[in-house]
Amino acid sequence: NLTAESHRIPLSDGNSIPLLGLGTYADPQKTPKGSCLEAVKIAIDAGYRHIDGAFVYYNEHEVGQAIREKIAEGKIKREDIFYCGKLWNTCHPPELVRPTLEKTLKILQLDYVDLYIIELPMAFKPGDALYPKDENGKFIYHETDLCATWEAMEACKDAGLAKSIGVSNFNRRQLEMIMNKPGLKYKPVSNQVECHPYFTQPKLLEFCRQHDIVIVGYSPLGTSRDESWVNVSSPPLLKDPVLNTIGKKYNKTAAQIALRFNVQRGVVVIPKSFNPQRIRENFQIFDFSLTEKEMKEIEALNKNVRYVELLM
């Protein structure tokens, strides 16, 4: 009986997050101009209200334009949309956090984001280069204090620039470091990590449940097969026989089964697609439920292997 409009997960700070969102990650070298704009408009028309973006995706101007156009059409109000933005690795020093978020808001032309998260628990050297490298092509890292970065995130929430604050790609130890910080004002409401039937994150999911932290699963359908950043040792998730067999029973695709699996266990999913048909298809997961036996069969597919290894 779940409906996409009504089914949201409460966050520990009183905000709530829709279980299904549109991921807008894109390679700027390979993505035609305007494709993100159209994808977000199609998604809003299809019923999506959660948009996952980032400054480093180079397309927040298109996302903001799509949201504003749909507001102007009377299709949505600003408060209907849940937008997640991210603090990039070159912006961890506390004095850079608020100006970076303000820059994101200026690009989006919005007054606030619904969720602002630290994208990775490691830092690059601050500066104009998003992926700073030395003369040998090696990444230039930067020593950082995640607790100090978090305090600057808390100040952004207090200033009303972000309704909620969270993290991404954090493990249990890194989460505990924030939660055990002296003088903690707000704990992370969410942790965005890779999560799908081949990488189910059981231990992290259980830890986060115990502490009222929502897991947001990226790459919930697996990933592209781009060897430059993807571990291709695991086969493509959507060709999995179990997902396809269960899909036939419900007249659903393997993708819809994979999404339904995570949603049913309380994991928010943010499938990325710029394909209109698949955007709409990914949304059609609220008209059926998997049985307990099917959930266990899908859980058993876990390989504990990441597609996105984050070798940086």
Side-chain angles (χ1 to χ4, degrees):
N1 296 326
L2 303 182
T3 65
E5 277 298 319
S6 65
H7 209 79
R8 299 167 72 99
I9 297 186
L11 299 175
S12 51
D13 61 1
N15 201 359
S16 68
I17 182 171
L19 266 165
L20 175 65
L22 178 77
T24 62
Y25 168 76
D27 183 336
Q29 310 299 322
K30 300 173 186 171
T31 311
K33 193 178 170 186
S35 56
C36 180
L37 169 68
E38 286 311 309
V40 173
K41 291 202 296 191
I42 288 162
I44 290 171
D45 285 340
Y48 289 79
R49 295 295 179 262
H50 175 180
I51 312 293
D52 180 81
F55 170 73
V56 79
Y57 299 170
Y58 295 101
N59 57 14
E60 285 190 311
H61 58 294
E62 292 188 21
V63 175
Q65 186 184 337
I67 293 169
R68 293 193 311 277
E69 284 184 19
K70 286 296 165 185
I71 291 171
E73 282 175 26
K75 175 79 183 174
I76 50 165
K77 300 187 185 78
R78 169 63 187 94
E79 56 268 29
D80 296 332
I81 291 293
F82 186 98
Y83 183 78
C84 172
K86 302 185 183 84
L87 181 77
W88 183 238
N89 314 350
T90 53
C91 309
H92 280 207
E95 67 276 10
L96 296 181
V97 173
R98 179 167 176 162
T100 303
L101 175 50
E102 286 172 338
K103 189 174 178 183
T104 277
L105 292 173
K106 193 174 176 185
I107 293 167
L108 288 163
Q109 292 183 44
L110 298 175
D111 296 329
Y112 65 89
V113 294
D114 299 88
L115 176 61
Y116 198 53
I117 63 179
I118 300 174
E119 191 156 355
L120 282 160
M122 48 76 70
F124 285 148
K125 177 188 171 188
D128 292 333
L130 293 180
Y131 296 91
K133 291 182 178 178
D134 63 19
E135 60 276 8
N136 300 313
K138 294 258 196 314
F139 285 117
I140 306 172
Y141 298 101
H142 186 71
E143 193 166 314
T144 189
D145 176 357
L146 279 173
C147 289
T149 305
W150 186 253
E151 286 172 8
M153 297 281 284
E154 291 177 323
C156 289
K157 177 170 161 61
D158 281 337
L161 302 177
K163 284 197 167 184
S164 297
I165 50 175
V167 296
S168 180
N169 297 301
F170 274 48
N171 61 27
R172 174 179 176 153
R173 181 181 59 81
Q174 291 152 345
L175 286 167
E176 285 179 330
M177 187 166 63
I178 300 290
M179 292 191 296
N180 296 334
K181 184 187 83 63
L184 180 73
K185 201 165 186 184
Y186 308 112
K187 70 178 183 184
V189 298
S190 62
N191 185 17
Q192 187 178 128
V193 294
E194 180 177 344
C195 191
H196 48 74
Y198 283 177
F199 193 59
T200 55
Q201 298 269 25
K203 287 183 181 175
L204 187 62
L205 183 56
E206 185 51 37
F207 173 80
C208 286
R209 276 186 183 139
Q210 288 168 3
H211 294 277
D212 226 6
I213 298 169
V214 171
I215 289 275
V216 178
Y218 68 73
S219 298
L221 305 177
T223 57
S224 73
R225 308 297 284 175
D226 183 340
E227 292 188 30
S228 66
W229 63 278
V230 173
N231 168 10
V232 293
S233 66
S234 278
L237 178 70
L238 299 185
K239 291 194 174 161
D240 186 87
V242 172
L243 297 178
N244 281 281
T245 300
I246 294 172
K248 283 195 182 98
K249 173 184 165 185
Y250 294 102
N251 198 24
K252 296 287 180 182
T253 64
Q256 289 166 320
I257 299 301
L259 294 176
R260 178 70 211 185
F261 163 73
N262 259 335
V263 161
Q264 210 161 303
R265 62 195 198 119
V267 172
V268 174
V269 286
I270 46 171
K272 177 258 162 179
S273 179
F274 287 175
N275 177 305
Q277 183 192 338
R278 285 200 289 268
I279 288 171
R280 295 183 190 104
E281 215 171 65
N282 289 342
F283 199 74
Q284 305 306 315
I285 61 168
F286 296 98
D287 56 355
F288 75 106
S289 290
L290 297 166
T291 66
E292 203 174 319
K293 179 173 176 283
E294 287 161 348
M295 289 291 288
K296 285 194 164 60
E297 282 173 14
I298 298 171
E299 275 173 15
L301 298 176
N302 183 37
K303 300 175 187 294
N304 267 330
V305 174
R306 298 172 191 271
Y307 281 115
V308 184
E309 292 182 303
L310 297 169
L311 297 177
M312 66 181 77

